[in-house]
Every structure is written in C-alpha cells, then in structure tokens.
C-alpha cells in the first residue's frame, strides 16, 4: 500500500480532483473550541512552520520547497477563494477535516496521526487568521517576550585555528563566522518573497499579509541588536505570519541571513559602477537562444515583463536605469544603469549567478520552488532586450 501511494502521488502523479465534499460524520458542523488568543495563534504557527510550510509556503501561497512534482498543487490560501472575514466560504469544520484526514488523491497528509485535536485546531486558527484572513485577529495582551538566552546572542565571528584547538565549543559549529554570501542565497529563498528583494517589505507573496512584513530600512528595525534579530528569526513575531524559523533552520544559517540583512539593508553593501565589461563566465559562453527555441520552447517578452516587474524592477527600475523604488533611501547604493547592448549570455549569467558582494542575488536558488524557471529567465532576457540601448545578441 505504501508503494502504491508513493507511485501514484509522487513517482507518477497526475492531476485529479480530490472531490472531498463537505465534512460529514464526526466532522460535520464542528467549530473551533479553543480560545481565540495569541498563545494558540503562536502555537499554530510553530506547527505550521514545523510541518506545513514545505508544501504550502510560509506565506500560505502554495509555493513551498516541496511543491514541485505534486499534483494537485498545494492551494494558495491568499487567492480569495476562501471568502472574506464577513463572508467566509470555508467553515472551521472544512479546515479541520482536511487537516485531520488529508485529501483523497493528493499528498496532503492525515495529521491526526501525529497531532491531537487541540493542535489541529491551532493550525486551523493560524491559517484562517494569517492566510485566508477569515478569522478575527486577536489583540495581544502584552508585548512579546523572548528567552534571555536568545536575546544575549551575538553575531558569531570567525575563529582562529588556535581558538578552535583550545576548545571554544560554543561557536564551533559556526567557526567560519556569519557570512553575507550564503545569507544572500538563504534570504532569496526564504525571506525575499515577503520582505522584498530590497528589504522594504514589498515581496511578491507578502503584499497581501496583514500585518505587512517588516521594512528593514526603517529606523525601528535598524536599532535592533544582534540578539533581537536572532530572537525574531528564531521565534517569529507574535500576531503575524513572520515564521519561527528556529523550528528547522540551523543556527549557522540564521546568522548568515541576519548578516546579509544587516549588510544589505542597514549598514549598506558597496555598489560599483557597471560590472559589465563584455566578459562572460566560461560555463555561459556557449549559451544559445536558438538551441532553446529549436527544442520547442517559446520566448515571450510579454511574460518576461511581468517577471521583470516581480524580480528586477524594484532595484533596476522600469527601464533598467538603476532607479527602482527599492533603492530610495537604501544604505546600499543603487545598481548602475544597464550597459549598452549587453549580450544574451551575460544577462543570463548574471540572473542565474547574481553579482558577488552586492545585493544582486543568484536567481538559480528559486528553481527548486518553481518561482522562477529557465523559461522565465529567457523571458526576462527578452524583455530586457526591449529596453533602451539593448539589442540582444548571441
């Protein structure tokens, strides 16, 4: 039975309609018996980040890192199909039944095997408040209190060989210190879709969230200590969708992300004049648009324009002049205007690999989630070639 399940849901999935219908039997007419308070909301968040975000995404948009290959895809809780606060189209019982029993012909698990009724109701509460937004948000009765051991944490620094030999075990697992390079990749994959590529809280998935994601360039964020950052990344922010990344993200990875956020959006990362000098990395020199087309693909500047707006315009601006809205007031200097007549290979290379020591990220990181694909990069490239001064090329 397990083999049959794996074959049909993962190895050879096809699109099916779960057709689960309305809750019946023991689930019919159920309402959430838990108190609608911050404690239950926060407990639901921890469970969601521990178990659910890998498919549903931490912003509830159905784009978690495991969504690729699943059919049907995980639902987008923010697509408006769940009704409104005044007129919800899904009841408590609808959510609770699906969480408890799973969905037929889908990869949605039966969570009643692992979580008791109270925890499953906490999940219902968290999803309805933060994602479908069909439940009233509770009012905190006190400010969030983080553990002292988290608040006193400081940015790990690289240790010398002698320090490691002498047994400085407290930082052994991060003996290289926090690094902005790995942090940039983690930020792109885990944070940018809510906080935005320029850190201003305008990410493509986070714009519907309420409260909105933090703007890292705002004064109240810039005054946070390293321990404050570590606490917020580890435990999240109560009464919001900010995840409790300590549920799974290694300590070293959390520090790398914090290091990148501070360097890029608080202290500033230096930007030089145009990095374009006509040279292309060796593994992109033979890039061929014609080969891509000959394989049956289609390149669409129109689709590329939409992707450019989502991933590029906030920094590069609508016309590639380096004057995007996300650069206004940013401590990191704006990118240079696009050089004239950049080659296709160069544009593709920079989108794929990013630019070291800058805020330009390596978009290959988004391939695993499907947020961006090879076809998407070709489409972005085609749109860039329509901008002033660009003619495309081999």
């Amino acid at each position: 039975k397990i083999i049959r399940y794996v074959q049909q849901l993962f190895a050879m999935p096809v699109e099916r309609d779960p057709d689960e219908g309305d809750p019946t039997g023991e689930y019919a007419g159920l309402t959430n018996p838990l108190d609608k308070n911050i404690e239950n909301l926060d407990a639901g968040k921890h469970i969601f980040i521990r178990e659910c975000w890998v498919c549903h995404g931490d912003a509830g948009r159905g784009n978690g890192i495991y969504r690729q290959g699943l059919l049907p895809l995980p639902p987008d809780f923010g697509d408006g199909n769940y009704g409104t606060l005044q007129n919800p189209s899904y009841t408590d019982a609808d959510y609770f039944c699906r969480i408890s029993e799973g969905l037929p012909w889908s990869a949605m698990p039966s969570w009643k095997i692992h979580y008791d009724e109270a925890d499953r109701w906490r999940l219902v509460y968290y999803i309805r408040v933060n994602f479908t937004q069909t439940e009233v948000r509770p009012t905190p009765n006190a400010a969030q209190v983080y553990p002292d051991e988290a608040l006193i944490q400081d940015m790990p620094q690289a240790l010398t060989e002698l320090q490691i030999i002498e047994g400085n075990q407290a930082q052994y697992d991060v003996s290289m210190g926090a690094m902005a390079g790995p942090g940039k990749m983690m930020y792109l994959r885990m944070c940018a879709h809510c906080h935005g590529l320029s850190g201003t809280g305008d990410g493509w998935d986070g714009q519907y969230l309420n409260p909105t994601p933090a703007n890292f360039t705002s004064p109240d964020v810039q005054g946070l200590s390293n321990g404050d950052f570590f606490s917020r990344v580890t435990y999240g922010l109560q009464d919001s969708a900010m995840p409790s990344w300590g549920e799974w993200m290694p300590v070293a990875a959390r520090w790398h992300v914090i290091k990148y956020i501070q360097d890029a959006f608080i202290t500033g990362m230096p930007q030089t004049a145009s990095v374009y000098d006509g040279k292309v990395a060796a593994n992109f020199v033979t890039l061929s648009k014609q080969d891509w087309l000959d394989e049956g693909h289609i390149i669409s500047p129109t689709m590329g324009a939409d992707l450019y707006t989502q991933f590029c315009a906030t920094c590069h601006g609508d016309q590639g002049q380096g004057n995007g809205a996300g650069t206004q007031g940013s401590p990191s200097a704006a990118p240079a205007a696009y050089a004239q007549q950049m080659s296709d290979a160069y544009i593709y290379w920079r989108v794929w690999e990013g630019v070291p020591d800058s805020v330009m990220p390596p978009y290959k990181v988004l391939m695993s989630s499907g947020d961006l694909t090879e076809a998407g990069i070709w489409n972005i490239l085609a749109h860039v070639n329509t901008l002033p001064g660009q003619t495309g090329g081999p």
Side-chain angles (χ1 to χ4, degrees), residues 42-316:
D42 200 50
K45 174 194 293 184
H46 282 265
I47 299 170
F48 188 88
I49 297 302
R50 190 182 313 137
E51 308 287 7
C52 313
W53 82 270
V54 291
C55 291
H56 290 282
D58 59 277
R61 305 309 301 264
N63 58 355
I65 57 175
Y66 290 169
R67 75 185 291 269
Q68 293 288 51
L70 297 181
L71 288 174
L73 292 171
D76 177 355
F77 293 132
D79 64 6
N81 287 327
Y82 296 84
T84 64
L85 185 64
Q86 294 74 24
N87 186 30
S89 54
Y90 278 63
T91 67
D92 280 346
D94 288 320
Y95 293 93
F96 187 73
C97 179
R98 288 162 173 79
I99 290 171
S100 300
E101 299 291 342
L103 293 181
W105 297 112
S106 82
M108 175 65 186
S110 171
W111 287 114
K112 69 179 183 180
I113 297 173
H114 294 287
Y115 288 96
D116 62 21
E117 288 190 12
D119 278 343
R120 281 177 272 147
W121 279 120
R122 291 181 179 110
L123 269 177
V124 171
Y125 188 41
Y126 180 71
I127 292 168
R128 293 198 64 181
V129 168
N130 284 294
F131 300 145
T132 65
Q133 298 176 13
T134 56
E135 182 76 81
V136 176
R137 181 175 296 281
T139 301
N141 51 21
Q144 185 167 4
V145 177
Y146 293 107
D148 289 340
E149 60 266 28
L151 290 169
I152 64 173
Q153 294 296 311
D154 202 5
M155 184 78 69
Q157 304 298 317
L159 302 181
T160 66
E161 184 177 353
L162 180 60
Q163 287 173 315
I164 296 174
I165 292 173
E166 289 178 345
N168 192 334
Q169 296 299 316
Q171 296 188 28
Y172 184 79
D173 62 331
V174 285
S175 59
M176 293 300 294
M179 295 181 288
K184 177 165 66 172
M185 298 181 69
M186 183 66 77
Y187 180 87
L188 176 63
R189 182 63 196 94
M190 311 308 305
C191 315
H193 66 116
C194 287
H195 291 286
L197 292 159
S198 57
T200 54
D202 62 348
W204 53 92
D205 283 342
Q207 295 180 27
Y208 90 108
L209 295 176
N210 182 24
T212 56
N215 177 354
F216 295 128
T217 66
S218 64
D220 58 325
V221 174
Q222 295 194 358
L224 296 176
S225 69
N226 287 330
D228 290 328
F229 268 106
F230 184 79
S231 299
R232 284 158 173 74
V233 172
T234 299
Y235 297 101
L237 293 177
Q238 69 176 15
D239 207 24
S240 80
M242 171 61 194
S244 49
W245 287 124
E247 286 292 340
W248 73 269
M249 189 183 293
V251 171
R254 279 175 261 162
W255 279 119
H256 291 330
V257 170
I258 294 169
K259 173 67 172 171
Y260 174 71
I261 291 172
Q262 292 181 347
D263 284 3
F265 310 128
I266 297 178
T267 60
M269 298 181 75
Q271 296 275 13
T272 61
S274 174
V275 295
Y276 181 66
D277 58 4
K279 297 179 181 178
V280 178
N283 54 327
F284 288 87
V285 168
T286 58
L287 185 78
S288 171
K289 179 191 296 183
Q290 192 58 52
D291 282 351
W292 178 258
L293 293 171
D294 288 345
E295 290 171 356
H297 302 291
I298 297 173
I299 297 177
S300 168
T302 302
M303 296 178 68
D306 291 337
L307 292 172
Y308 183 90
T309 299
Q310 178 174 342
F311 294 115
C312 314
T314 187
C315 292
H316 290 286

